[in-house]
Structure formats: structure tokens, C-alpha cells
């Protein structure tokens, strides 16, 4: 059941609009915060939200800076003048702090997809308020990849300015072979095997927009920061974490980076971390052909984590 929108003002004056959806159950089992991915918005998670509500969970969503249907189209794709990557993390931490005080259920669960998974991983490194986390369609760039990305994005920022929408950087990110190899009908087929979901994405002006050079630089910095073992160590050791990805997701190089990230967590002593790679699935698992199976797996992880607690 949708509730009234809430406004949360951050220390730098930026306002985040929270969208709460409460379960009709007499007692909420927990509260789940969903963080969407790059160049999309919270409305694309309504089916998943309804599923969670029906299973007894309150859900909150919001749009990251530079995203959202409440923005003007020309406002999309830019995060902040300085340290935008960190502001995304701190926004999530502020929201989690609010939810930890207001939640109706006992447990606070964090779900992040794609760029949202990077923000979510950063939030676990900045905060100990979360009781479980699910990272969907995440990435773990190598040092060489991060260095190349930072060089390219900084170069464009220097010569074009950080507010410059950059098709070149967008192509450098999404025009690589692991993406184009999945282009059976459109350039966005890497998102999911569901043709209807790809069609809706392509016809939504608030999805798939070209981001600014400053945004791409912040994205590189975000992925670099949360992947460093020294920063991962700030995540509470007891935190249950589930990594989910498709084995045809180009963002994780077809699952290779997920396996490497899982191995990093394990080597650092995170024994409550697990991983599911879905056969033939692509980037947007919640829009995949077998999304109901995937939603049930997420629910099973949550229920098993808190069984008897």
C-alpha cells in the first residue's frame, strides 16, 4: 500500500524524496530499502515492491541524485559539483538512519541494483545499521580498468567540463564487445532477455539517457572505492550478504567479477556471504524472463537469514 511521500534534507541542502509502500499484513516482518541503477528510476521496481509487500515487508524507494521522473530532463545525469560518488553513499546512509528509527518491522534490509548496488556496498562500509544486504548486477573492476576509466573520464571533464553530456564515454562504457554481443534486436538487449522490458526502457525518457562526464567520473570513483579490500573491511563481519547476477551480465563480465568479489569477501573473513549466478540471465534480473524465481530466491534468503530471530 503506497503511503504519502516523505522529504529528507541532507547536510548539503539536497532533498531526497522517499516513496514508502507498506505491507497490508498486521505486522511487518521488516523494512527493505531498494536502490535503483544508473539512468533509470524507482518506478521500475513496482512489481518487486508489490511482491515484497505481499510477503509481509515494508518497502522504501527513492531516486538517486541526477535521476527521477520529478526532475527536468536537462537535470538528468549529473550528481554533484564535488565528490558526487560519496554523496550518493551518504544519501543512502541518511535514509537508512531515518528508517532505522521509523521502521515498523524488526529488521532493516538493503537491496541495490547495478549502480545502486555500488551505493549499497558503500553504505555497508559507512554504516552498521543494516541487518542484511542483497547486491544485484554489481561489478568489481580491476585496478587497471579503474585507472583507465578515471583517466578517460577526467580527460573529458578537463576539456569539455563535468556538465558535458558525453556520448563518447557512454559508448566507451556500453559499446564494448560483451555488451554488443547481446544486441540481437537493439543496443539495449544486454539489459534483459525480455523484449517487452527492453521496449519499455527505450520508450521511457527517464531511462537510458546520456550522462555527463562528471557523472561517469563519479561512477568510476564509486566502483573503485567500494571494491578496495581496505574499504570492504569496514563492512560489519557478521552482515549476511547475497550477490546475485546473470551469467550473461556484461556489467560483471558474464559473472567473472561476481566470483572474484565473492572470493574477496571470503578471504576477508565474510563467511555470511553467498552468490547466485543465473544461467543465461542478463543485467536486470528483476526484469528477466524468470524474475519470479529470482524474487522468490531473494525472499528465501531474507526469510532464512532471520528465521527464529
Amino acid at each position: 500500500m503506497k503511503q504519502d511521500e516523505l522529504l529528507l534534507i541532507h547536510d548539503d541542502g539536497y532533498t531526497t524524496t522517499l516513496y514508502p509502500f507498506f505491507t497490508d499484513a498486521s505486522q511487518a516482518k521488516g523494512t527493505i530499502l531498494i536502490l535503483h541503477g544508473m539512468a533509470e528510476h524507482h518506478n521500475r521496481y513496482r512489481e518487486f515492491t508489490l511482491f515484497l509487500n505481499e510477503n509481509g515487508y515494508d518497502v522504501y524507494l527513492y531516486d538517486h541524485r541526477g535521476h527521477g521522473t520529478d526532475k527536468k530532463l536537462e537535470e538528468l545525469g549529473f550528481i554533484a559539483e564535488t565528490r558526487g560518488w560519496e554523496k550518493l553513499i551518504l544519501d543512502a546512509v541518511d535514509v537508512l538512519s531515518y528508517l532505522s528509527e521509523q521502521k515498523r518491522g524488526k529488521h532493516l534490509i538493503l537491496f541495490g541494483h547495478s549502480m545502486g548496488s555500488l551505493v549499497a556496498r558503500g553504505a555497508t562500509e559507512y554504516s552498521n545499521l543494516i541487518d542484511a544486504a542483497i547486491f544485484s548486477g554489481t561489478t568489481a573492476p580491476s585496478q587497471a580498468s579503474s585507472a583507465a576509466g578515471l583517466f578517460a573520464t577526467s580527460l573529458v571533464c578537463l576539456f569539455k567540463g563535468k556538465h558535458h553530456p558525453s556520448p563518447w564515454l557512454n559508448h566507451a562504457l556500453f559499446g564494448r564487445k560483451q555488451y554488443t554481443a547481446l544486441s540481437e534486436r537493439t543496443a539495449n538487449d544486454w539489459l534483459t532477455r525480455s523484449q517487452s522490458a527492453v521496449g519499455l526502457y527505450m520508450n521511457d525518457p527517464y531511462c537510458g539517457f546520456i550522462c555527463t562526464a562528471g557523472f561517469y567520473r563519479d561512477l568510476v570513483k564509486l566502483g573503485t572505492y567500494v571494491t578496495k579490500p581496505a574499504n570492504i573491511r569496514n563492512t560489519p563481519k557478521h552482515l549476511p550478504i547475497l550477490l546475485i547476477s546473470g551469467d550473461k551480465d556484461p556489467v560483471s563480465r558474464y559473472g567473472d567479477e561476481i566470483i572474484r568479489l565473492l572470493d574477496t569477501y571470503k578471504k576477508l573473513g565474510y563467511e555470511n556471504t553467498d552468490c547466485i549466478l543465473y544461467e543465461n540471465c542478463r543485467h536486470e534480473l528483476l526484469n528477466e524472463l524468470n524474475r519470479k524465481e529470482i524474487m522468490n530466491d531473494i525472499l528465501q534468503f531474507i526469510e532464512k537469514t532471520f528465521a527464529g530471530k
Side-chain angles (χ1 to χ4, degrees):
M1 180 188 302
K2 186 177 182 181
Q3 306 295 309
D4 291 337
E5 298 168 6
L6 304 168
L7 300 181
L8 187 64
I9 302 176
H10 303 282
D11 288 345
D12 67 346
Y14 180 82
T15 299
T16 290
T17 302
L18 288 177
Y19 303 94
F21 293 81
F22 288 173
T23 178
D24 289 330
S26 56
Q27 176 62 48
K29 297 178 183 177
T31 297
I32 301 176
L33 174 62
I34 296 176
L35 303 182
H36 70 76
M38 169 186 167
E40 59 161 351
H41 51 82
H42 80 277
N43 282 314
R44 301 187 74 230
Y45 292 78
R46 289 296 181 89
E47 182 181 2
F48 186 43
T49 296
L50 178 61
F51 170 81
L52 295 171
N53 284 165
E54 290 173 344
N55 283 280
Y57 292 89
D58 289 343
V59 177
Y60 285 79
L61 307 98
Y62 69 89
D63 293 312
H64 300 295
R65 300 183 189 221
H67 298 76
T69 55
D70 60 338
K71 305 285 195 308
K72 296 178 181 178
L73 291 177
E74 58 268 25
E75 295 175 329
L76 299 175
F78 182 78
I79 300 172
E81 291 293 335
T82 59
R83 297 182 72 83
W85 65 271
E86 187 175 37
K87 287 182 171 66
L88 292 177
I89 295 173
L90 294 176
D91 289 349
V93 171
D94 285 348
V95 172
L96 289 165
S97 297
Y98 173 81
L99 296 184
S100 71
E101 298 174 355
Q102 302 296 324
K103 66 181 188 296
R104 303 193 307 160
K106 186 176 180 181
H107 306 293
L108 182 57
I109 301 139
L110 181 58
F111 175 95
H113 167 68
S114 195
M115 185 188 80
S117 76
L118 299 178
V119 176
R121 284 162 57 189
T124 69
E125 296 170 7
Y126 274 63
S127 170
N128 60 1
L129 297 172
I130 306 156
D131 298 310
I134 302 102
F135 305 138
S136 169
T138 198
T139 181
S142 66
Q143 290 184 352
S145 176
S146 293
L150 183 58
F151 176 78
T153 55
S154 296
L155 203 62
V156 177
C157 285
L158 178 63
F159 287 101
K160 295 285 190 177
K162 53 192 165 189
H163 287 268
H164 169 69
S166 181
W168 183 81
L169 286 174
N170 189 73
H171 183 267
L173 183 63
F174 300 114
R176 288 174 287 172
K177 187 176 180 180
Q178 68 259 35
Y179 291 87
T180 59
L182 300 170
S183 298
E184 297 144 0
R185 297 182 314 115
T186 78
N188 292 298
D189 287 347
W190 61 272
L191 291 171
T192 168
R193 294 170 296 170
S194 170
Q195 295 183 6
S196 60
V198 171
L200 287 171
Y201 178 90
M202 294 180 67
N203 286 292
D204 187 336
Y206 292 91
C207 289
F209 46 85
I210 301 296
C211 295
T212 61
F215 178 98
Y216 291 116
R217 184 169 62 178
D218 278 323
L219 182 63
V220 171
K221 289 184 176 182
L222 177 63
T224 302
Y225 181 89
V226 302
T227 302
K228 287 182 178 178
N231 297 325
I232 292 175
R233 285 192 181 96
N234 293 322
T235 300
K237 279 290 197 300
H238 65 273
L239 182 68
I241 296 172
L242 178 64
L243 305 171
I244 58 174
S245 182
D247 69 0
K248 292 295 185 292
D249 182 357
V251 172
S252 65
R253 296 184 183 272
Y254 296 3
D256 288 350
E257 291 183 5
I258 304 302
I259 299 301
R260 187 167 72 242
L261 180 61
L262 177 66
D263 184 58
T264 299
Y265 274 113
K266 294 292 187 182
K267 286 180 177 177
L268 293 175
Y270 292 87
E271 297 301 327
N272 288 336
T273 302
D274 205 352
C275 170
I276 304 176
L277 283 180
Y278 291 94
E279 187 176 3
N280 294 321
C281 289
R282 301 181 184 181
H283 185 54
E284 292 189 343
L285 292 178
L286 295 179
N287 285 319
E288 261 295 356
L289 300 177
N290 58 327
R291 62 188 178 278
K292 294 190 182 300
E293 171 200 354
I294 294 167
M295 291 181 192
N296 277 305
D297 285 346
I298 295 169
L299 178 64
Q300 185 178 11
F301 164 75
I302 294 170
E303 306 257 274
K304 183 178 179 181
T305 296
F306 301 119
K309 296 180 182 179

